[in-house]
Amino acid sequence: MNTQPRIYVAGHNGLVGSAIVRVLRAQGHTNIVTRSHAELELTDQAQVREFFRNERIDQVYLAAAKVGGIHANNTYPADFIYDNMMVQANVVHEAWRNGVNKLLFLGSSCIYPRLAQQPIREEYLMSGMLEPTNEPYAMAKIAGIKLCESYNRQYGTDYRSVMPTNLYGPGDNYHPENSHVIPALMRRFHEAKLTGAPEVVIWGSGKPMREFLYVDDMAEASVYVMNLDHDTYASTTDPMHSHINVGTGEDVTIADLARLVGETVGYRGRIAFDPSKPDGTPRKLLDVSKLKSLGWQARTPLPEGLQRAYAAFVDLMADQEKRAAA
């Protein structure tokens, strides 16, 4: 008889969810429950209710979310706020209804004010105006944190939240318009290399600074935080300020990032910037001292992580070409 906890990873096909599954399996967990989007529509309360009623889940990693870059957030604001709020509300509520005491909610560093003091500490949440280009997504993620805290306060559950910085790595979305900055740059430089394009133009001025965390590091941090004993977690958090930042504590300009991605891909042309396009938040560096005090810190340097991410991207492109030719 399997005595391991029955763990549901919501969003297991996504960037973070797939990494969490990798980490759990590497740690010896075999009782992992997953459902694809086609198998379980998390915005549908009836489907989520039936799933939890039937599956007897012990732990939940809530990594399912509708995500995207500046273009996607600007184009589909209603989708971003509705889908994410519905997924969070359904999963958290039905988890509680079916006796799941341990849940980890994965948020985003965009929850913090656009002009927050740097580095950003957890207590800066809701202390100022959000970045307009991703406000609907950020509001949904803030609601997710407060949802977990509210169920903890009212029902005594142990629902925790982690706020990652910008993530990248295997399993990323490389859509030419709806992806985040690293996969978007990787695809553009890769295609420019293949076509011999003399120049790649990057959105914005290149001046904003961003922090990037390799996704398997994020997954390890998630499992680490989930497994902390209750008193240890409670000793560094507050019932109404319970989330924990996850990042590297180091940032880089978009211009330097673009050059580094170009070098990783092997692109030899010029890199230009288009300041008529939006920059987004000027700087977004997380204070990760709380997580370090709990005994965890990131281990993958950006150049190494980019090499791994690009190798995964090349494999993905080759696989897609094989399937298209079949």
Side-chain angles (χ1 to χ4, degrees):
M1 186 175 180
N2 196 336
T3 58
Q4 291 185 339
R6 192 161 168 79
I7 303 173
Y8 171 46
V9 181
H12 77 287
N13 284 325
L15 175 65
V16 184
S18 60
I20 288 174
V21 171
R22 285 196 297 274
V23 169
L24 289 172
R25 286 176 176 162
Q27 293 184 0
H29 288 279
T30 57
N31 207 0
I32 302 171
V33 179
T34 59
R35 291 291 186 277
S36 68
H37 184 264
E39 294 171 318
L40 176 60
E41 174 54 70
L42 293 177
T43 63
D44 186 313
Q45 186 181 45
Q47 289 189 36
V48 178
R49 180 167 295 174
E50 183 179 9
F51 168 79
F52 275 99
R53 185 184 297 134
N54 294 336
E55 292 299 328
R56 302 184 307 280
I57 301 298
D58 298 308
Q59 297 180 11
V60 174
Y61 287 86
L62 182 41
K66 183 176 182 65
V67 298
I70 290 177
H71 175 81
N73 276 272
N74 270 334
T75 307
Y76 311 109
D79 292 353
F80 274 86
I81 193 166
Y82 177 84
D83 287 359
N84 284 300
M85 289 186 74
M86 292 301 293
V87 166
Q88 295 161 189
N90 288 338
V91 172
V92 170
H93 185 67
E94 295 307 325
W96 164 74
R97 275 170 52 93
N98 288 275
V100 178
N101 191 55
K102 290 185 68 65
L103 178 147
L104 188 77
F105 171 65
L106 285 87
S108 167
S109 59
C110 72
I111 62 170
Y112 293 113
R114 180 177 187 272
L115 299 177
Q117 181 180 334
Q118 304 290 317
I120 305 171
R121 298 175 61 85
E122 286 87 351
E123 55 262 35
Y124 297 166
L125 179 65
M126 298 194 297
S127 64
M129 297 296 291
L130 297 167
E131 162 59 36
T133 57
N134 61 16
E135 182 187 75
Y137 178 74
M139 288 296 292
K141 288 299 183 180
I142 292 170
I145 298 170
K146 295 304 173 183
L147 193 65
C148 291
E149 291 176 351
S150 298
Y151 277 69
N152 290 343
R153 291 167 58 208
Q154 185 168 343
Y155 299 119
T157 50
D158 188 4
Y159 294 173
R160 306 175 182 185
S161 300
V162 286
M163 297 300 116
T165 189
N166 300 286
L167 302 172
Y168 70 99
D172 218 332
N173 168 30
Y174 297 95
H175 189 280
E177 292 182 341
N178 297 338
S179 56
H180 285 109
V181 59
I182 284 183
L185 288 174
M186 202 163 278
R187 179 171 187 142
R188 293 190 66 195
F189 281 120
H190 179 77
E191 292 176 348
K193 181 179 74 168
L194 294 181
T195 61
E199 182 180 76
V200 170
V201 180
I202 309 300
W203 269 35
S205 67
K207 295 177 181 178
M209 301 191 72
R210 292 291 183 271
E211 176 186 15
F212 297 96
L213 178 68
Y214 188 64
V215 70
D216 285 62
D217 283 8
M218 176 59 201
E220 289 177 5
S222 299
V223 176
Y224 186 87
V225 170
M226 173 72 99
N227 291 331
L228 287 170
D229 69 82
H230 182 271
D231 289 345
T232 299
Y233 186 80
S235 70
T236 59
T237 60
D238 180 88
M240 295 183 70
H241 249 110
S242 66
H243 63 286
I244 294 178
N245 290 339
V246 185
T248 63
E250 301 175 355
D251 57 1
V252 62
T253 66
I254 295 298
D256 286 342
L257 174 70
R259 296 184 189 102
L260 187 54
V261 173
E263 292 171 5
T264 302
V265 171
Y267 175 70
R268 305 301 179 198
R270 296 187 303 274
I271 301 175
F273 296 89
D274 181 0
S276 70
K277 301 297 185 183
D279 271 339
T281 305
R283 192 183 189 199
K284 196 165 59 172
L285 175 66
L286 295 182
D287 184 317
V288 294
S289 57
K290 185 172 290 187
L291 186 55
K292 282 187 177 180
S293 74
L294 291 168
W296 187 92
Q297 63 183 21
R299 4 186 228 108
T300 307
L302 184 58
E304 179 185 335
L306 288 176
Q307 291 287 351
R308 292 188 199 171
Y310 184 55
F313 170 74
V314 170
D315 288 344
L316 177 65
M317 293 297 103
D319 184 57
Q320 289 180 354
E321 288 177 7
K322 286 180 184 177
R323 281 186 286 174

